[in-house]
Each structure stands twice: as structure tokens, then as C-alpha cells.
Amino acid sequence: KDDKYKTWMPKFLMAKEEKDRRKSSSDVERNIFKVKNSNAEKSKKMGKEEKFFRETFMYDKEINVINTATAECSVTSKRRVDLPVTAGEQLDVIDVTEGNAVICRNSEGRYGYVLVEHLNFR
């Protein structure tokens, strides 16, 4: 009944004992080191895509981003090894091939060939 008629007071003006009583460290669960499920699922999917890429392209080198590029136009993939891109999409260039295509990775972690004429390098 006393709490009902208690006047409101900002936390910084409260006595230290009252603060400690209201919020003890054992009652509060801390989420500092917890990993969100979406991040875990995303990293698992990216690992799966990388494995598929290595098997399909027979790529045994370390994956390093050489450059970043922006897709100028939307292109659908005609083959399984081609990477479908949309206009304005950011791509990481992984490797240069002999011809007019480069191996790229999109933001979802998928890999594939993209023709150089569809890319805008900064």
C-alpha cells in the first residue's frame, strides 16, 4: 500500500540502497556473449555456399577479396556457375579468370561468374 502512494523520483536521486534493492545482479540476465540465431544460420549457410563453390569451381586457393564492384544491370544466370545479379548490387571480386568474366561473391555468400561488362569498378 505504501508503494502505491510513493512519489516518483529519478534513479540518479534515489538512495544507493534502493537502487541495489530494485535491481540486483543475480536477477538480471546479461546477453553480452549470446549469438543471435540468425547470425549462426547465416554463417552456416555461407559455409555451405563456400563448400559448394570450392567443389564446383575446383578452387583450392585462399578466398581473398581483390576488389569490390557494383552491378550495372540485372542479369539472370544461364548456367549453374553464373551468379545472378541485380542492378546496384555490391559484389566482392574474388578471382580474375582468362576471358571476360570474374568470380564474384554477393552479400548472401553465393559465388559465381559475372561478366566484366556488367560490373562497375570504383
Side-chain angles (χ1 to χ4, degrees), residues 30 47 58 63 78 103-104 109 112 119 122:
R30 299 188 70 187
M58 291 179 275
I63 296 175
K78 294 172 180 58
I103 298 174
C104 293
L119 299 176
R122 292 182 214 173

Side-chain angles (χ1 to χ4, degrees), residues 3 8 15-16 25 35-36 39 46-49 53 56 60 70 91 104 107 111 114 119:
D3 291 334
W8 180 82
K16 189 170 183 174
S25 61
V35 177
K36 290 185 178 178
N39 289 345
M46 288 185 116
K48 187 177 176 182
E49 290 289 343
F53 163 70
T56 306
D60 58 351
T70 307
L91 300 171
C104 293
S107 60
Y111 296 85
V114 179
L119 299 176

Side-chain angles (χ1 to χ4, degrees), residues 2-115:
D2 293 335
D3 291 334
K4 187 176 180 182
Y5 300 106
K6 192 174 183 181
T7 58
W8 180 82
M9 190 179 293
K11 285 185 181 181
F12 62 88
L13 295 176
M14 293 173 77
K16 189 170 183 174
E17 300 84 35
E18 287 183 35
K19 282 185 189 176
D20 293 341
R21 210 171 357 116
R22 285 184 62 196
K23 198 177 209 181
S24 66
S25 61
S26 62
D27 296 338
V28 178
E29 183 181 336
R30 299 188 70 187
N31 296 333
I32 295 173
F33 299 108
K34 287 189 177 181
V35 177
K36 290 185 178 178
N37 291 339
S38 61
N39 289 345
E41 290 172 9
K42 189 174 182 181
S43 64
K44 185 178 179 182
K45 183 180 177 185
M46 288 185 116
K48 187 177 176 182
E49 290 289 343
E50 183 179 335
K51 184 180 178 188
F52 174 77
F53 163 70
R54 289 187 180 279
E55 291 172 358
T56 306
F57 290 77
M58 291 179 275
Y59 196 84
D60 58 351
K61 297 186 274 184
E62 186 178 342
I63 296 175
N64 290 326
V65 177
I66 299 170
N67 201 347
T68 57
T70 307
E72 289 183 338
C73 58
S74 297
V75 181
T76 58
S77 62
K78 294 172 180 58
R79 303 177 295 168
R80 177 78 173 132
V81 294
D82 292 336
L83 182 65
V85 295
T86 56
E89 184 179 10
Q90 294 280 12
L91 300 171
D92 295 331
V93 179
I94 304 297
D95 204 353
V96 180
T97 60
E98 301 173 5
N100 60 346
V102 290
I103 298 174
C104 293
R105 175 178 61 197
N106 65 7
S107 60
E108 297 170 2
R110 291 196 58 203
Y111 296 85
Y113 290 117
V114 179
L115 295 176

